[in-house]
Structure formats: C-alpha cells, structure tokens
Amino acid sequence: MKKRNWLTYLPTIFVISIIISLIAYSTQGNSVQMNYTTFEQAAEHVEFQDSSVTIGETIIRVNGTYTDTKSSNNERTSFSVIIPNTDKNIEWLEETLTKDGGKINVTDPSSGDIWINLLAQVVPFVIVAIFFYYMFTRMGGGGSSNKAFEFAKSRAHMEQNVKTRFKDVAGCDEEKEEVKEIIDYLRNPKKFTDMGAHIPKGVLMVGPPGTGKTLLAKAVAGEANVPFFSISGSDFVEMFVGTGASRVRDMFKNAQKAAPCIIFIDEIDAVGRQRGAGMGGGNDEREQTLNQMLVEMDGMNDNGGIVVIAATNRPDVLDPALLRSGRFDRRITVTLPDVKGRKEILQVHARNKKMAPDVSLENLAKRTPGFSGADLANVLNEGAILAVRNKEPHITMEDLDEAIDRVMMGPAKKSKKYTDRDKRLVSYHEAGHAVIGLKLEDADMVQKVTIIPRGDAGGYNLMTPRDEKYFHCKSELLARITGLLGGRTAEQLVFGEVSAGAVNDIEQLTKIAKNMVRVYGMSSLGPIQYADPQGNVFLGRDYAQGGSYSDGIAEQIDKEVRKIVDDCQKRCLQILSDNRDLLDLIANNLYEHETLTNEEITNLMKYGTLENPNEPQPELPPTPDHQEEEPEEQPEKKEPKAIDQKDLDDAFQELTKKKD
C-alpha cells in the first residue's frame, strides 16, 4: 500500500482547527474585557466570586467572575481587566474582591508556561500559511514534477525496465528488421564505432493510426534493455514563450544522464509542422520549440547514445529541416497488416482469452481487411464482453462476428421497427449490392448481408476484396463504383423511385470517380494530376498559388466524372435486370430472415434455397415414444466354404479306403 503524504491531511487539520477555535470562542460567551475606569465603576454594584490576580512588574492582570446586583437574572459574567501596579491599587483590589466573600488566587507570572501561550498565538497562523501553500501547489498541478512555476521542466516519462518485446508486436516483420541495427547499437556500440559507422540519430515511424508505432518503439527499448523516455508533441507547446524550447533542453539533458536510451515523441507533427506556413505568420512558440529540437538532434551539442524515435500519421506537414539526413535519417512506414499479419496480431491478443474450439482466427483475419492492430484488439475485446453478457463459458464465433459488426457500424438497433414498405425497400437495396458482388467479376465478395439497423445505416453489406492488393486497376475501381450503385439502382428498378438511404454509397463512389480523373489519370484527360491527393494542408502556403488548372479543365473533369458514374450505372442496371430472379430471391429471404451469410447467399444463387440440398443432412435420433424395437438376434449363418482340389483328393482317398 502506498504511503500517503502528510500534506494530504492538511485540509482536515485546517477544518478541525477552525472548529476548535469557534468552540473556544463560543465558551467565552459572556466574557467582558474591561478597562480600569469601567472596572472601578462596576465594583460599586457587583458581587465578585473567585478571581485570579497576576502581579507583574508594572501591571496587575485580574480575571474572574461577578454577579450584577442591579440585574434581575443574577447571571454570572466573566471579566478581565488590567490595572497599574501600585501599592494603593493592590490594597483596593484585595478589599474589593473579597468584600462579598469572594476568593482571590494570586499567581506568579514567571510560573506560567510562556511557550504554551506563544504556541497558542503562533500555531494558528502557521497552519493557515501551510494550508494556503498546499492549495497553491495543488493549483500548479501537484506532485514532485508538476509544481508551480516548473513550466520549463520536461514532461517526458521515463520507464526503466520495459517489458514489451518483439514477440508482443505482430504483423510488421519488415519493420522489425529495420530497427534491429538500433538494438545492436544500443547493446554494443563499440563494433559500430570500430567500423567507422554511426547509427541513425532519429527514426521516423509513419503510418495510419492504430498500426502499432508506439508499441514497436517500446519493443525496441525492451529488446535493447535501455531506458525509454516517452512524450507527446503537444507537451512541448505552452502559453508561455520559450517554455517548449526549455523543455526540449531539459529532456535531452535528462536523456544524456541515462544514455544509452531512447526518446519517443508521439504525434511529432504537433510541434514539427513546417515553419512560416500559416496565414499571417506562424506560431512563434512552436517554431522556437522546433528550432531547439533541430539543434539538439544535430547541432552544436553531442548527444551520443540517444536515439530519437518519432511517430506521426501526417509526414507531409513536417518541416524539411526535421527530415534531412543527420536528424531523422531513417523513415519506416508501418502499414496496415495483411491477412497473415492480422492472424498473427489476433494470436497475440487472444493469449489471455478463453476461445471456443470452433473459433478460427484465420477466418477472422480474412473477414477483417483494412483493420489495424488496434481494431483487431478491439474486436477480440468486444467479443469477450459479449460472451460475458451472454453468460457463455467461452468466446464463440458468433460473438466475434457480432463484434466485427459493432466495430464497423456500431451496435444493432433491434428495437427499431420498420414499416412493411421500408423493410422491403431496404431488403431490395441490400440485395442489389449482393447481386453485383456475385455477378461482377472484379467486384468485392459478399460476406454478409443484413437489414438490421446499425448506427445511421438501415442495413449494410460486408464485402471484402477477393485478393488483397497494394494497387488497384481501373477495372477494379469501376467495379467498386458499380457495386456501390447496386442498392440505389435496385430501388429504382423495383419501386420506380430512389430513397435517401444511398447517401453514403454516393459519397464513396463520387470520391473514387474524382480520384480516377484528378489523381490517377484514368480518363481521357490523360496522365495529368489535377489535385493534390493529400489536400491543401497549409492554407497560407497554398492560398496565393490559386487553382492548378483552368476553368475549362474543371468543366472537363466534371464531364469525365459524370461519364464514369453514368457508365457504371448503366452496367449496374443491366446486371440487375438480367438477374431479376436472383434479386427477388435474395430480397425475399432478407425480408424473412433479416441476415444472410456468404454460404447462404451462394446457396441461393446455385440452388435457390438457403441450404445445399446435396449435403447430407444429419439424422435426428428417434423420439422416446416412437423408438423402433430392436430386432431379435438371429443365429449367425455360416457361409459355405469353397471346395478346392485338395479337398477333392482327400475325399477320394477316404472313399478308396472304405471300399478296400
């Protein structure tokens, strides 16, 4: 159990002190502080009880109680008075305080506890001062590293014993090979220096979110067994000018003490954006931070033994000075895993999960193209949550199938009810996508079709590529546009009108068609790029450049985009018209069963039923009431033995002996 700091109890102590002070103040109730003249006037008509007299060198302090004879309630009142120390006053006090039978207790001022009185006056002020100091430090963030005014200190978190290893990182074998030299250098730098080689000072990891860039960087530190400093790019930027640069200096200073080590900067684009690219000037604080980082990585300072690993998914916005040789020498692209990588990632995340025997991670990997490592981990986690919700002993394939749908589209809205017409329209919409996927050669394969609403969609098709490719041909892109038009075209073919349910399909196909014309050069305009595929990242940099093509070219681009979409729509309409029976069959089964799998859709296309009639059906056991009587055991019949030539010779010899 972690020991708590005594400062955490300070607010409680402060409140208790206030309560005690209030109680002490309230007990004084009727206490009266008198001056000498008032005391002389009151002594004529009051009766004194017990009194305490303290005689000092120049004054006499009197404390006691009295009863006012003029008052009708005879209430006792405490009093305190200070009078000059003279012989006349001492005699008068003795006579006045004892005239009605009162008692006097004379105390020596030197016998009192001076330290107690001093502490009684000083301690409350000390407690108040400590309380406000504590609150002030808490406002500054608290803790040993985030106290007030420590803005210039590095926010990097250092981890000494990193437990992550390469076995915990799957789906990126090539990326592991690229960082093995860094591990060897951190373990034994002498063999590199003897050869006259130096290891890259910086490694830039680029890739989509969730592909494991941070995990790979931590695995490098774990394999090399060196300290791991981790920080986000946004931790450098602060409202105070010069704070970020100071934090960079402090971070590298701490890293030099722990060298050899690794500094990992996540989302470096937050601080490493190109300088002077914004409208009206850049951010001076961010640019100063970047300048200091450039100096620390390859400037006047010698940071031997420090390897900087940075991660970003926007390398196009980084400053060129940050990417030059001598700073980030090596660039590693961490891509989305292929089917083999996805299977390995699923195996890593399935180590501590109870899987049913029928769960096939290989089939699960084939059904999740485009999923990152984080997405796959989320699928297994959602499957485990569903298994717990359903009170199942193991995670089944049905749980993982539902988990994929939840990650892609959100939870199913089973309580949402369709009208009969809307349900039939959604059935034909999804069936139109399915028919195009079945009949068009280059289209994606249909894995699952459902009309159960998820998220903003009334239904959806789970379609995966037949083969995972790095590059797509024009025919494949045209087939994808045709497949996206399948739902809308089916509505128009069957109902004579279209609905707003195809809005997401239209958005995707428009983006593909525009990229074919403006980026990929797949039109009559030729291999000319009319748009930046990354978009305008810096408005200030690109604002003065204007458009990269004329208005006439823009009109031709619109015509080419429209031509591509119109041709695909005609092709889609032709396929659906030629396969109207299959469209009706799939739509009717969707209307009835709401969800169809790949196997069921294939059976509908081949046999017209959800089940394959050629497959042997499992025999059902007889019911207890109609069990057939077991036949009585018949005596075993022996088959007649075949007679060979030897048997005939033996029989002939027997007959000859009998005749003799």
Side-chain angles (χ1 to χ4, degrees):
M1 183 177 179
K2 186 178 179 180
K3 187 177 180 181
R4 298 185 65 183
N5 193 337
W6 67 273
L7 287 174
T8 58
Y9 300 100
L10 188 58
T12 305
I13 298 174
F14 182 73
V15 173
I16 293 175
S17 301
I18 293 177
I19 295 174
I20 293 175
S21 300
L22 292 175
I23 294 174
Y25 179 78
S26 62
T27 56
Q28 295 181 0
N30 298 324
S31 180
V32 178
Q33 183 72 31
M34 294 181 172
N35 55 32
Y36 180 43
T37 304
T38 305
F39 179 72
E40 283 185 329
Q41 296 175 357
E44 298 176 356
H45 56 80
V46 299
E47 295 180 356
F48 292 97
Q49 281 79 37
D50 297 340
S51 302
S52 175
V53 179
T54 302
I55 302 175
E57 294 182 358
T58 57
I59 61 172
I60 301 174
R61 187 183 300 275
V62 182
N63 296 309
T65 58
Y66 66 84
T67 303
D68 193 351
T69 57
K70 294 183 178 180
S71 177
S72 59
N73 53 10
N74 294 327
E75 182 180 359
R76 287 191 176 188
T77 303
S78 300
F79 72 94
S80 176
V81 64
I82 297 175
I83 62 178
N85 185 1
T86 61
D87 295 338
K88 181 179 179 181
N89 287 341
I90 292 175
E91 294 177 358
W92 176 79
L93 275 176
E94 182 179 1
E95 179 183 353
T96 303
L97 296 177
T98 58
K99 65 179 180 179
D100 298 316
K103 298 181 180 179
I104 300 176
N105 181 22
V106 180
T107 60
D108 187 0
S110 60
S111 64
D113 195 345
I114 301 177
W115 292 107
I116 294 178
N117 295 332
L118 180 62
L119 289 176
Q121 297 178 4
V122 174
V123 167
F125 294 99
V126 174
I127 293 176
V128 171
I130 295 176
F131 175 77
F132 281 106
Y133 173 78
Y134 170 78
M135 295 301 296
F136 186 70
T137 55
R138 293 289 293 178
M139 290 174 61
S144 60
S145 61
N146 292 323
K147 294 180 180 179
F149 300 112
E150 290 190 354
F151 301 110
K153 297 295 183 182
S154 172
R155 300 289 181 90
H157 172 70
M158 186 182 71
E159 190 173 350
Q160 284 282 1
N161 299 318
V162 181
K163 304 298 183 182
T164 308
R165 297 292 186 269
F166 274 170
K167 64 180 180 180
D168 302 318
V169 184
C172 51
D173 296 336
E174 293 79 6
E175 290 79 359
K176 293 179 185 177
E177 292 293 331
E178 289 294 322
V179 296
K180 281 187 177 179
E181 291 87 356
I182 298 175
I183 298 174
D184 294 339
Y185 171 76
L186 293 173
R187 287 178 175 175
N188 185 16
K190 187 176 183 301
K191 66 179 182 180
F192 288 89
T193 56
D194 292 344
M195 189 62 65
H198 61 85
I199 205 68
K201 292 186 177 181
V203 178
L204 181 65
M205 293 187 178
V206 180
T211 50
K213 298 183 291 294
T214 303
L215 187 64
L216 181 60
K218 186 172 286 188
V220 173
E223 291 288 343
N225 194 22
V226 295
F228 182 73
F229 290 84
S230 59
I231 192 171
S232 174
S234 60
D235 289 334
F236 293 110
V237 182
E238 196 58 75
M239 62 179 293
F240 300 100
V241 177
T243 302
S246 180
R247 288 177 179 174
V248 171
R249 288 190 295 269
D250 187 66
M251 180 181 67
F252 277 89
K253 181 180 179 182
N254 295 335
Q256 286 176 357
K257 297 177 181 178
C261 64
I262 289 177
I263 296 177
F264 177 70
I265 305 175
D266 196 11
E267 304 297 343
I268 193 173
D269 52 277
V271 68
R273 283 179 173 266
Q274 184 171 345
R275 293 167 289 183
M279 291 186 65
N283 188 323
D284 291 339
E285 166 60 12
R286 182 182 56 78
E287 292 184 2
Q288 289 184 21
T289 305
L290 176 59
N291 292 336
Q292 186 62 44
M293 186 174 296
L294 297 177
V295 171
E296 293 291 343
M297 291 191 67
D298 184 21
M300 295 176 291
N301 300 329
D302 182 17
N303 294 319
I306 300 176
V307 177
V308 181
I309 301 179
T312 181
N313 49 20
R314 294 300 306 274
D316 54 303
V317 305
L318 296 180
D319 193 277
L322 193 65
L323 302 177
R324 76 158 176 84
S325 299
R327 292 189 176 116
F328 284 105
D329 303 275
R330 183 167 296 181
R331 178 168 172 171
I332 300 176
T333 301
V334 186
T335 58
L336 293 172
D338 56 6
V339 61
K340 178 177 176 292
R342 292 195 296 271
K343 180 182 177 181
E344 295 174 353
I345 293 173
L346 289 170
Q347 290 174 348
V348 170
H349 292 290
R351 291 174 183 170
N352 60 341
K353 293 180 173 58
K354 297 180 180 179
M355 295 291 184
D358 62 336
V359 172
S360 174
L361 297 181
E362 184 176 358
N363 293 338
L364 195 64
K366 292 179 180 179
R367 295 183 52 191
T368 52
F371 276 47
S372 65
D375 294 331
L376 295 173
N378 193 20
V379 167
L380 292 181
N381 185 60
E382 287 288 343
I385 293 174
L386 290 173
V388 174
R389 182 184 300 176
N390 299 330
K391 299 180 180 179
E392 298 170 348
H394 300 90
I395 303 173
T396 63
M397 202 65 188
E398 289 76 11
D399 296 329
L400 296 176
D401 181 70
E402 174 66 19
I404 293 175
D405 296 339
R406 292 171 70 91
V407 171
M408 293 179 62
M409 303 292 295
K413 298 180 180 179
K414 297 182 179 180
S415 61
K416 185 177 180 180
K417 299 299 181 182
Y418 284 122
T419 63
D420 183 73
R421 184 179 184 280
D422 290 343
K423 186 175 181 180
R424 188 164 295 277
L425 185 142
V426 175
S427 300
Y428 271 98
H429 181 101
E430 302 302 334
H433 290 300
V435 171
I436 298 298
L438 292 171
K439 293 299 181 179
L440 194 57
E441 182 179 358
D442 294 325
D444 294 341
M445 294 177 58
V446 179
Q447 297 290 346
K448 180 180 179 181
V449 184
T450 179
I451 60 172
I452 298 175
R454 288 182 182 272
D456 296 331
Y460 82 99
N461 268 273
L462 178 59
M463 304 180 73
T464 59
R466 300 178 188 272
D467 298 308
E468 295 188 30
K469 300 179 181 180
Y470 289 101
F471 305 102
H472 296 283
C473 300
K474 181 178 179 180
S475 59
E476 295 172 349
L477 296 176
L478 292 175
R480 184 171 297 179
I481 295 176
T482 306
L484 291 170
L485 286 168
R488 187 176 187 274
T489 307
E491 294 177 9
Q492 187 175 9
L493 177 64
V494 177
F495 299 97
E497 61 177 352
V498 295
S499 68
V503 58
N504 188 39
D505 298 333
I506 295 174
E507 180 182 355
Q508 294 185 45
L509 68 89
T510 303
K511 182 178 180 181
I512 296 173
K514 285 186 176 181
N515 285 336
M516 289 177 64
V517 177
R518 302 171 59 191
V519 180
Y520 307 141
M522 296 179 179
S523 68
S524 61
L525 295 179
I528 301 176
Q529 190 175 89
Y530 293 102
D532 182 4
Q534 298 293 340
N536 289 335
V537 179
F538 302 110
L539 179 60
R541 183 188 66 189
D542 300 331
Y543 182 75
Q545 295 181 1
S548 57
Y549 47 85
S550 63
D551 294 339
I553 293 295
E555 183 179 357
Q556 293 184 39
I557 290 174
D558 293 339
K559 289 181 180 180
E560 290 294 329
V561 171
R562 181 177 295 276
K563 183 177 182 298
I564 290 175
V565 176
D566 289 344
D567 292 343
C568 291
Q569 188 169 15
K570 292 177 182 178
R571 188 180 185 188
C572 179
L573 181 60
Q574 183 65 39
I575 294 174
L576 294 179
S577 300
D578 295 342
N579 298 275
R580 177 62 188 270
D581 294 339
L582 180 60
L583 176 66
D584 294 335
L585 182 62
I586 296 177
N588 292 333
N589 280 273
L590 264 178
Y591 181 85
E592 181 180 356
H593 301 285
E594 294 187 343
T595 301
L596 298 178
T597 63
N598 179 23
E599 183 180 1
E600 292 173 339
I601 294 174
T602 304
N603 290 336
L604 286 175
M605 182 179 65
K606 292 182 178 181
Y607 312 109
T609 59
L610 293 177
E611 297 179 354
N612 186 354
N614 298 326
E615 292 182 357
Q617 301 296 326
E619 296 182 1
L620 297 176
T623 57
D625 297 337
H626 300 84
Q627 289 184 351
E628 297 181 359
E629 296 183 359
E630 296 182 359
E632 296 181 359
E633 294 184 1
Q634 300 294 334
E636 183 179 357
K637 295 181 180 181
K638 296 183 178 180
E639 297 291 338
K641 184 179 179 182
I643 301 175
D644 54 10
Q645 185 64 36
K646 183 180 178 182
D647 295 333
L648 291 175
D649 294 341
D650 293 342
F652 180 76
Q653 291 177 2
E654 288 291 335
L655 290 174
T656 304
K657 290 180 181 179
K658 289 181 180 179
K659 288 181 180 181
D660 294 341

